[in-house]
């Protein structure tokens, strides 16, 4: 078992370079199997465990995957020979369900175990299934455990999503890229990684328009070819460093970013009193006083991202005044607030609302990473707090943040990864 040990209280200062976007990579890697060719993908966060799982899954179905350098992979999809993905491959990873769309697109058949991933409340896949069915697939779910989708032919059709879903939008794009005729996704998700997936598929010869708006038109093509493509920078990793800079009252230049993707985060930080300077591919965040309060409501893009909600709550826990955070995407995304209470925060949660009464300081404590972004919030809290914070269950953080110790360490954060013996649990007794 590993944990992070943080000695907090130092402002973060210096420069940090953001990795490629996890959620774009998790859509683009399975998309590569829609070609019978070789795709070279750059700016891939290869050392996060979610990406390792995706690569492992690709190999399992017969793809060749070569690591060219730390952030470039080559996927050879010529010999992909299986449409079956077992529970072993999917249990840790939500995005494993993108193989349903990709395999359906390639083989007109997919048999994929239900996905795992962070628990943020119920995560239904009804909109994915609705999309596959609209394209002519027959979808069954066996024992609530395996999704089987088959189609004689995939035929483009209009699909209206009842909820704005990143996952359903991605999965339908994957299945529709090689369908016959035109698929129109209405009420589509508009996140930067949706646009990135469309750009990747178009570089492979697909014909997709409108990504980034709520109507995406996909004119199916017969074949896709290999390409070289570079993934966009990670909006949420960048946002995490922005909030960490502000919460520790530091001054950080964050490199390899797209400022447009960070607008909702920048504007909230400015509201809290941070200074922000934008450059072409960099953003500088500094804060030299106690943050002010602000209210936040998470929304699909371009609204404030739910994946930044826990990190931002740490800043608000230290703010002067009372802030209200309203979570509108996930029904169970406030579990981390219990950990912040241990550090001296004053937060009350009522359903989808958290009322945060800012305190002057947080103090270090033993805490847990309940999920990926909750874990990022614990790191920020630990760095901003006085004294020692120990974070357990950091495997969640390793799912989505590359070289996190090195990156925060280079900014002057005192954070170490330590190995510890697992405590003797009741389960292992007699
Ligand atoms: N929903 C349905 N039916 C569906 C699909 C979704 O009701 O068929 C609901 C969900 O329950 C949720 C809402 O729609 O209330 C939005 O879910 P969405 O499908 O957009 O989420 P997702 O695709 O499962 C992705 C990210 C999450 C991020 C959400 C929202 C990936 C791999 N995951 O999840 O990222 O929170 O979009 O932006 O792209 C993370 O990176 O830490 C993370 C959890």
């Amino acid at each position: 078992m590993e944990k992070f040990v943080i000695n907090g209280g130092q402002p973060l200062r210096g420069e940090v370079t953001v990795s490629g976007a996890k959620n774009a990579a998790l859509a683009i890697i399975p998309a590569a199997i829609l070609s019978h060719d070789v795709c070279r993908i750059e700016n891939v966060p290869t050392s996060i465990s979610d990406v390792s799982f995706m690569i492992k899954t690709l190999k399992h179905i017969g793809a060749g995957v070569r690591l060219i350098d730390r952030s470039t992979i080559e996927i050879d999809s010529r010999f992909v020979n299986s449409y079956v993905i077992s529970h072993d491959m999917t249990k840790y990873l939500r995005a494993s369900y993108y193989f349903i769309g990709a395999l359906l697109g390639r083989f007109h058949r997919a048999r994929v175990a239900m996905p795992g991933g962070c628990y943020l409340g119920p995560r239904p896949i009804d909109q994915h299934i609705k999309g596959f069915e609209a394209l002519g697939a027959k979808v069954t779910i066996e024992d609530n455990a395996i999704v089987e989708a088959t189609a004689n032919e995939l035929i483009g059709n209009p699909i209206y999503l009842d909820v704005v879903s990143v996952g359903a939008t991605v999965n339908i794009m994957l299945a529709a890229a090689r369908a016959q005729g035109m698929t129109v996704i209405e009420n589509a998700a508009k996140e930067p990684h949706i646009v990135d997936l469309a750009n990747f598929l178009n570089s492979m010869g697909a014909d997709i328009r409108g990504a980034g708006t709520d109507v995406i038109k996909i004119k199916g093509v017969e074949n896709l070819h290999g390409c070289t493509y570079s993934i966009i920078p990670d909006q949420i990793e960048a946002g995490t460093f922005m909030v960490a800079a502000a919460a520790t009252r530091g001054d950080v230049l964050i490199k390899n970013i797209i400022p447009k993707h960070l607008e909702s985060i920048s504007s909230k930080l400015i509201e809290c009193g941070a200074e922000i300077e934008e450059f072409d591919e960099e953003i500088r965040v500094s804060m030299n006083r106690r943050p002010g309060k602000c209210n936040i409501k998470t929304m699909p893009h371009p609204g404030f991202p739910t994946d930044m909600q826990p990190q931002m709550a740490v800043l608000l826990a230290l703010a002067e005044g009372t802030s209200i955070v309203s979570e509108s995407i996930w029904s169970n995304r406030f579990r981390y607030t219990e950990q912040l209470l241990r550090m001296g925060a004053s937060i009350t949660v009522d359903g989808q609302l958290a009322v945060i009464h800012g305190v002057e300081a947080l103090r270090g404590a033993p805490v847990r990473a309940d999920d990926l972004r909750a874990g990022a919030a614990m790191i920020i809290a630990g760095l901003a707090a006085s004294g020692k914070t120990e974070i357990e269950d950091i495997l969640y953080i390793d799912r989505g943040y590359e070289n996190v110790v090195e990156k925060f360490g280079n900014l002057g954060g005192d954070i170490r990864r330590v190995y510890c013996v697992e405590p003797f649990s009741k389960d292992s007794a007699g």
Side-chain angles (χ1 to χ4, degrees), residues 110-416:
R111 188 175 163 79
V112 177
M114 285 293 254
C118 287
Y119 181 73
L120 310 169
R123 298 184 78 169
I125 60 166
D126 55 303
Q127 299 303 304
H128 305 234
I129 293 172
K130 175 177 163 174
F132 299 144
E133 287 176 343
L135 297 174
K138 181 169 179 289
V139 184
T140 50
I141 300 187
E142 291 172 19
D143 301 327
N144 230 351
I146 293 175
V147 182
E148 171 102 33
T150 49
N152 292 330
E153 291 176 308
L154 291 168
I155 312 275
N157 245 322
I159 299 157
Y160 177 84
L161 295 180
D162 301 326
V163 288
V164 179
S165 160
V166 171
T169 305
V170 167
N171 242 336
I172 296 167
M173 286 165 74
L174 295 174
R178 289 179 53 185
Q180 292 171 38
M182 179 76 90
T183 299
V184 180
I185 311 175
E186 291 193 60
N187 201 25
K190 298 186 283 233
E191 270 63 9
H193 33 288
I194 300 287
V195 179
D196 212 31
L197 172 65
N199 289 340
F200 174 69
L201 289 168
N202 285 344
S203 323
M204 295 167 81
D207 185 350
I208 302 179
R209 291 166 201 205
T213 75
D214 45 22
V215 181
I216 302 180
K217 294 184 177 167
I218 305 152
K219 192 168 166 203
V221 296
E222 209 158 303
N223 287 306
L224 294 176
H225 51 73
C227 68
T228 297
Y229 189 80
S230 183
I231 288 179
I232 51 167
D234 197 304
Q235 172 204 22
I236 304 299
E237 189 196 0
T240 301
F241 284 114
M242 290 168 74
V243 174
T248 59
R249 300 191 204 173
D251 184 348
V252 176
L253 182 70
I254 300 151
K255 299 165 88 167
N256 185 35
I257 55 107
I258 298 176
K260 181 114 191 87
H261 294 170
L262 302 174
E263 277 172 356
S264 60
I265 303 164
S266 302
S267 66
K268 283 294 158 188
L269 285 175
I270 291 169
E271 220 176 302
C272 292
E275 304 241 338
I276 302 221
E277 266 183 283
E278 278 182 14
F279 307 96
D280 286 350
E281 294 180 359
E282 298 169 353
I283 195 162
R284 181 173 169 195
V285 179
S286 60
M287 183 84 146
N288 56 15
R289 62 174 179 86
R290 186 170 174 198
K293 64 182 172 139
C294 80
N295 297 335
I296 285 182
K297 182 170 177 141
T298 64
M299 303 282 278
H301 190 81
F304 189 86
T306 173
D307 292 344
M308 282 301 302
Q309 183 256 99
Q311 300 91 313
M312 196 67 191
V314 174
L315 183 75
L316 300 178
L318 288 161
E320 202 162 353
T322 298
S323 309
I324 296 175
V325 176
S326 159
E327 172 58 51
S328 65
I329 311 290
W330 299 115
S331 60
N332 197 355
R333 201 161 207 178
F334 283 130
R335 285 181 302 161
Y336 69 87
T337 56
E338 284 174 31
Q339 309 300 314
L340 290 182
L341 295 183
R342 292 165 161 227
M343 300 179 75
S346 171
I347 306 177
T348 41
V349 174
D350 183 5
Q352 298 302 96
L353 285 186
V355 179
I356 305 180
H357 305 286
V359 295
E360 283 213 14
L362 295 173
R363 53 175 187 275
V367 292
R368 189 177 67 220
D370 283 311
D371 59 61
L372 169 59
R373 308 304 173 186
M378 291 307 120
I379 294 181
I380 297 173
L383 291 168
S386 57
K388 181 159 118 178
T389 294
E390 295 192 350
I391 309 177
E392 288 193 350
D393 291 343
I394 60 169
L395 77 172
Y396 288 110
I397 302 173
D398 290 334
R399 291 183 50 182
Y401 286 91
E402 209 171 37
N403 307 324
V404 70
V405 169
E406 293 75 6
K407 288 187 181 187
F408 278 111
N410 288 340
L411 295 173
D414 181 350
I415 171 169
R416 278 174 304 130

Side-chain angles (χ1 to χ4, degrees), residues 3-55:
K3 61 183 175 185
F4 287 149
V5 177
I6 299 175
N7 288 301
Q10 294 302 316
L12 296 180
R13 291 189 194 284
E15 298 181 358
V16 63
T17 300
V18 165
S19 298
K22 169 185 82 97
N23 288 345
L26 296 180
I28 285 173
I29 291 171
I33 67 163
L34 287 167
S35 80
H36 292 249
D37 205 345
V38 179
C39 292
R40 179 183 275 238
I41 311 173
E42 299 164 353
N43 206 28
V44 181
T46 56
S47 54
I48 62 174
S49 62
D50 272 12
V51 164
S52 309
F53 263 102
M54 271 306 193
I55 290 177

